[in-house]
């Protein structure tokens, strides 16, 4: 299955194909600040499954750390995705892909949360071990 998404003004369009490698919520201060909300809903994709189909010349990149290269539209400022090269995934904001059936499986960086979510999903203090985290959980 292929999903199509775009920035706020529509100048940049992207496609994601196949199935996401994971979906969930990030509570870290960087993601909250970047997304403009109390939590960021993410969908993780293999880099080869994410393609810019239009307007690539309008994409600008900001990287606060070597782990996250945040991409947005230079025309409207609309957020598109975040490359995570050390992790081998691209985070495409769930809201950027309107046809994606968002099925979150976990919370990460829950130690930084400003919005407690009682949804029964696993809540990692930082990250799962597979992503270099402590694998430590926080109770609902």
């Amino acid at each position: 299955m292929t999903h199509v998404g775009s920035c706020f003004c529509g100048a940049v369009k992207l496609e994601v194909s196949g199935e996401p490698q994971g979906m969930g919520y990030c509570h870290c201060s960087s993601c909250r600040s970047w997304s403009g909300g109390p939590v960021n809903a993410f969908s993780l994709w293999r880099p080869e499954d994410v393609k810019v189909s239009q307007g690539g010349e309008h994409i600008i990149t900001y990287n606060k750390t070597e782990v996250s290269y945040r991409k947005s539209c230079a025309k409207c400022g609309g957020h598109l995705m975040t490359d995570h090269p050390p992790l081998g995934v691209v985070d495409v904001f769930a809201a950027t892909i309107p046809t994606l059936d968002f099925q979150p499986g976990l919370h990460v960086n829950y130690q930084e949360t400003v919005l407690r979510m009682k949804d029964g999903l696993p809540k990692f203090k930082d990250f799962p071990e597979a992503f270099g985290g402590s694998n430590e959980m926080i109770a609902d």
Side-chain angles (χ1 to χ4, degrees), residues 6 15 18 25 42 46 69 79-80 89 91 95-96 104 114 121 129 135 137:
S6 69
E15 296 177 1
Y25 300 106
F42 63 80
R46 296 181 317 168
Y69 291 78
H79 299 170
L80 297 161
V89 293
D91 170 8
T96 303
V114 296
L121 295 175
E129 191 173 15
N135 218 41
M137 307 291 276

Side-chain angles (χ1 to χ4, degrees), residues 26-82:
C26 184
H27 297 262
C28 79
S29 61
S30 288
C31 282
R32 290 194 326 262
S33 179
W34 178 251
S35 70
V39 66
N40 177 50
F42 63 80
S43 66
L44 302 177
W45 302 82
R46 296 181 317 168
E48 60 269 23
D49 293 338
V50 179
K51 300 201 179 1
V52 175
S53 58
Q54 176 184 307
E57 69 276 13
H58 301 299
I59 296 176
I60 57 174
T61 302
Y62 175 77
N63 68 301
K64 186 175 179 180
T65 70
E66 292 303 312
V67 175
S68 300
Y69 291 78
R70 300 175 190 279
K71 299 184 181 293
S72 59
C73 174
K75 291 181 83 172
C76 68
H79 299 170
L80 297 161
M81 60 189 140
T82 302

